[in-house]
Amino acid sequence: MGPVIGMTPDKRAETPGAEKVAGLSQIYKMGSLPEAGDAARPKATLVGSESADDELTNLNWLHESSNLLTNLRLGSEGLPMVSPLYDIEGDEMPSFGPACYQNPEKKSATSKPPYSFSLLIYMAIEHSPNKCLPVKEIYSWILDRFPYFATAPTGWKNSVRHNLSLNKCFQKVERSHGKVNGKGSLWCVDPEYKPNLMQALKKQPFSSPQSAALSPHYLSSVLKQRQVQTLQGEKPLPLKTSLQKKRSYGSAFSAPSAVRLQESQSPTASVDPKADHNYSANSVAAQRCASRASMSSLSSVDEVYEFIPKSSHGGSDGSEGFHSEEETDAEYEEDPLGDSGYAPQPHGDSTPKGQPGQKIPKPSCQEIDEELKEAAGSLLHLAGIRTCLGSLISTAKAQSQKHREK
DNA sequence: ACACCACTAAACAGGA
DNA sequence: TTCCTGTTTAGTGGTG
């Protein structure tokens, strides 16, 4: 799901890989981080020097990481920004909605929110005191939190109404007769779907399988997998194929998890023919985010927002936003299927299916070496990104602190 | 290639 | 009559 995840940033502009880079680049463009570029460079070097593996310290492949980091700094335009679950500034956060959408001056405010309409509606409703809102209030809440819609074509309201009508997660409640003003009904979230909605919300958009697919943990697990395959005389798939498989793995792994989720959490694993419109509830969100399906269900949206900038909750640890990714990584480590959970699949007719007696050509040491270098380069790249982010976070925190002291 | 999902657009009806 | 609300259908694009 590219999942991108999910409800998603403007899907038309997004490409799986570019998303992360673009998102990170956005951090550099947030204006308050003048030393961002400087922070990145020494860290990248540091990461390289930290490696104890001689293979990994071979500088022949280091340029790849440098190029990636350079691209990172240069960034790209108009793509989904930083994780909405991640608030680098920390302060003026309302209970809902990413900080980067709060300020219309920021370029990101003009980006499409990375939430589906069903999640936006859900957030709006849950944010209301009575957990019920008329359509108009839902519009207002969305507009307030996501200035993107202020300039978006009016069709989004139609989409909101369409979602309310079609999505079983939302229930229409007649207004009390005494109510003087306003027409139409109030809309509430069906409590049965709340856990699913919250789960969907938590998963969006940076804890996606695709994000996980790029995680160092996963990369290393792919490497391990490939080493095992090599030792067993199998020819591992090309690394790029392996990494693409990871994305598939995300969904392949999620399918049974989603089923478990439905069985255990959703009373709506139903035979209802309309169930295919419970997108936020059972199907997509669960599938797309199944790497988290094992997480305990939450009882309130506020709990979900533990993954969201803490400012409105009193906390201010800017690193929160990446917590989820680390969890995702951890899950891969715990994966009972093995290092990656990815069992190598037959890949086309040319892929050996383990037929007895069939000789499998072993890859040459040079091939393995090249692929290891490639993978290590990716690891370094990711480590560099993380380190850069850490640096940026501390810088932003320091500046924020200074700003407060003034 | 196919199915599924999210999204969008549009038409329509009913009520304020 | 106009606008808003709610429902429904159809089409498109992305993803697995």
Side-chain angles (χ1 to χ4, degrees):
Chain A
M1 336 197 192
V4 188
I5 268 181
M7 314 187 193
T8 46
D10 194 342
K11 289 178 181 173
R12 291 174 185 90
E14 102 189 342
T15 40
E19 171 190 89
K20 195 149 196 163
V21 172
L24 292 167
S25 71
Q26 188 73 26
I27 295 175
Y28 292 100
K29 293 191 285 181
M30 292 186 85
S32 58
L33 304 169
E35 59 274 63
D38 291 336
R41 274 170 243 139
K43 298 294 184 179
T45 306
L46 177 63
V47 171
S49 66
E50 281 175 353
S51 171
D53 188 326
D54 287 342
E55 293 286 332
L56 300 185
T57 52
N58 184 335
L59 295 181
N60 288 342
W61 47 271
L62 189 57
H63 70 279
E64 274 193 40
S65 302
S66 303
N67 291 340
L68 287 168
L69 287 172
T70 301
N71 293 337
L72 181 65
R73 281 191 292 273
L74 292 175
S76 57
E77 298 290 322
L79 288 173
M81 3 53 61
V82 300
S83 166
L85 307 182
Y86 174 73
D87 178 21
I88 200 169
E89 298 188 66
D91 274 341
E92 307 89 11
M93 273 293 293
S95 299
F96 287 86
C100 47
Y101 290 115
Q102 303 307 307
N103 187 348
E105 293 174 4
K106 291 181 180 173
K107 183 185 178 85
S108 55
T110 62
S111 300
K112 195 171 187 177
Y115 303 101
S116 67
F117 280 111
S118 49
L119 287 180
L120 290 174
I121 296 166
Y122 170 60
M123 288 189 283
I125 293 174
E126 283 299 305
H127 190 247
S128 68
N130 299 326
K131 311 295 184 204
C132 279
L133 280 181
V135 171
K136 205 165 188 175
E137 293 299 311
I138 295 174
Y139 294 157
S140 300
W141 188 92
I142 293 175
L143 268 177
D144 188 39
R145 261 54 174 198
F146 302 93
Y148 161 81
F149 291 106
T151 55
T154 53
W156 69 272
K157 290 182 178 179
N158 194 1
S159 295
V160 168
R161 293 196 307 273
H162 165 84
N163 245 276
L164 286 169
S165 290
L166 214 59
N167 199 324
K168 287 183 73 180
C169 302
F170 307 115
Q171 290 179 332
K172 192 169 64 175
V173 176
E174 296 302 318
R175 287 182 190 249
S176 59
H177 297 298
K179 196 103 181 183
V180 181
N181 92 24
K183 58 181 175 182
S185 307
L186 294 173
W187 291 91
C188 306
V189 176
D190 187 333
E192 291 184 353
Y193 293 85
K194 272 193 179 185
N196 301 314
L197 283 163
M198 281 186 288
Q199 196 164 32
L201 189 58
K202 279 171 60 179
K203 314 248 154 95
Q204 299 218 1
F206 278 70
S207 53
S208 66
Q210 263 143 338
S211 299
L214 296 170
S215 74
H217 284 291
Y218 172 66
L219 286 166
S220 69
S221 71
V222 167
L223 278 177
K224 285 185 196 171
Q225 176 78 37
R226 293 161 58 80
Q227 284 174 332
V228 168
Q229 286 179 269
T230 303
L231 289 173
Q232 290 173 345
E234 300 174 23
K235 169 140 179 89
L237 297 173
L239 185 65
K240 283 178 184 175
T241 308
S242 298
L243 294 178
Q244 286 165 355
K245 279 269 181 185
K246 161 62 180 190
R247 288 186 243 267
S248 304
Y249 152 75
S251 63
F253 176 71
S254 71
S257 300
V259 170
R260 285 195 298 273
L261 172 70
Q262 289 177 6
E263 288 169 350
S264 63
Q265 291 192 336
S266 171
T268 62
S270 64
V271 290
D272 188 321
K274 268 186 79 180
D276 62 334
H277 283 299
N278 299 328
Y279 9 91
S280 297
N282 293 334
S283 48
V284 175
Q287 287 183 12
R288 294 189 176 181
C289 312
S291 66
R292 292 186 153 272
S294 61
M295 295 188 62
S296 58
S297 66
L298 303 173
S299 59
S300 77
V301 166
D302 284 341
E303 292 178 65
V304 171
Y305 273 81
E306 285 178 8
F307 295 87
I308 287 178
K310 293 285 194 176
S311 53
S312 63
H313 296 263
S316 63
D317 187 347
S319 64
E320 284 293 325
F322 292 93
H323 178 59
S324 59
E325 183 176 321
E326 291 178 83
E327 277 191 3
T328 304
D329 294 342
E331 284 177 11
Y332 290 125
E333 288 186 331
E334 294 165 7
D335 184 356
L337 290 176
D339 288 321
S340 69
Y342 158 55
Q345 300 291 322
H347 192 258
D349 297 338
S350 61
T351 305
K353 295 189 176 183
Q355 294 152 339
Q358 183 171 354
K359 282 264 181 182
I360 300 160
K362 293 186 179 182
S364 70
C365 290
Q366 190 172 355
E367 286 172 349
I368 296 174
D369 189 42
E370 288 296 323
E371 291 184 0
L372 281 172
K373 285 176 182 176
E374 184 182 351
S378 299
L379 281 171
L380 180 62
H381 167 220
L382 288 161
I385 289 172
R386 286 197 169 207
T387 311
C388 292
L389 283 171
S391 173
L392 290 173
I393 289 162
S394 34
T395 302
K397 277 184 183 174
Q399 289 193 344
S400 177
Q401 186 76 26
K402 283 181 187 174
H403 187 69
R404 267 190 232 112
E405 288 170 358
K406 287 177 188 176

